[in-house]
Amino acid sequence: MEDNISQLQEVLDQQCKEFYTSVGVLQRDAPPALHLSHASPTSSVATGLSAQITASNAEAVRNFEEQARELARGIVRGAKTMDQLIDSLPGADQSMDDQLHLLDELEQENCVLGTRLNVTVCETETLLGEVRKALQGVYEDALREPGTEQSSRVSHQPQ
């Protein structure tokens, strides 16, 4: 299972896609706006045009509004999921001082484990060198004994 930070990143990425898609869909599918810069909203020309546009596009406007509501629901669902993930993060309920103290402890533990890892790597490299020397000795012994069956099978030197 993924950690909370990875889940939060995925939800954030999805939320960005939702916003991007929503803006594009709203721009693409929006009904035409009535621009009457010279007529007042109460004039008979504006009222007549508005009634004509409203009657002819009523179904398109309803579909657009439903589509906009569905897009908004998707964004709200993503925001709620993000809030839940943020609330589940360890230390979300701690003060800043407590969090800094925890980070100091984790950093010290990391240093100790890093030192142990370095020691283990050095020991492993030393052991690998000894194994290589032993294999080299076995190989050289096999080459010095010309009458044995093993020397005829040895065709190359180990790496």
Side-chain angles (χ1 to χ4, degrees):
M1 180 161 180
E2 297 178 3
D3 64 294
N4 289 347
I5 298 294
S6 297
Q7 289 177 351
L8 186 60
Q9 182 63 50
E10 286 181 16
V11 171
L12 180 63
D13 290 345
Q14 183 61 36
Q15 192 75 337
C16 289
K17 289 177 189 174
E18 288 277 341
F19 277 117
Y20 182 81
T21 302
S22 296
V23 169
V25 167
L26 292 174
Q27 286 177 341
R28 180 192 68 202
D29 296 345
L34 181 60
H35 295 288
L36 297 174
S37 58
H38 299 296
S40 72
T42 57
S43 73
S44 62
V45 172
T47 305
L49 285 174
S50 178
Q52 182 183 7
I53 289 174
T54 303
S56 65
N57 295 330
E59 184 65 26
V61 169
R62 278 193 295 277
N63 289 340
F64 175 75
E65 288 174 351
E66 181 56 35
Q67 187 177 28
R69 279 192 289 277
E70 189 58 37
L71 292 169
R73 282 186 207 110
I75 290 170
V76 169
R77 277 192 300 270
K80 286 181 180 179
T81 303
M82 285 176 50
D83 285 342
Q84 290 171 347
L85 288 170
I86 289 170
D87 290 341
S88 72
L89 290 173
D93 57 345
Q94 295 177 342
S95 70
M96 181 65 80
D97 290 336
D98 291 340
Q99 290 180 16
L100 289 174
H101 180 68
L102 178 62
L103 284 175
D104 286 340
E105 289 175 4
L106 290 172
E107 187 175 344
Q108 290 172 3
E109 181 181 347
N110 187 37
C111 287
V112 168
L113 293 174
T115 302
R116 278 193 215 161
L117 178 63
N118 288 336
V119 168
T120 303
V121 167
C122 288
E123 290 172 353
T124 304
E125 287 174 349
T126 302
L127 184 60
L128 177 62
E130 291 173 6
V131 168
R132 284 185 176 158
K133 283 181 186 178
L135 286 174
Q136 181 69 29
V138 169
Y139 175 75
E140 289 173 359
D141 287 345
L143 287 179
R144 281 187 235 144
E145 298 178 16
T148 65
E149 196 176 310
Q150 284 183 330
S151 65
S152 62
R153 282 194 254 155
V154 177
S155 60
H156 68 281
Q157 184 176 0
Q159 304 272 336

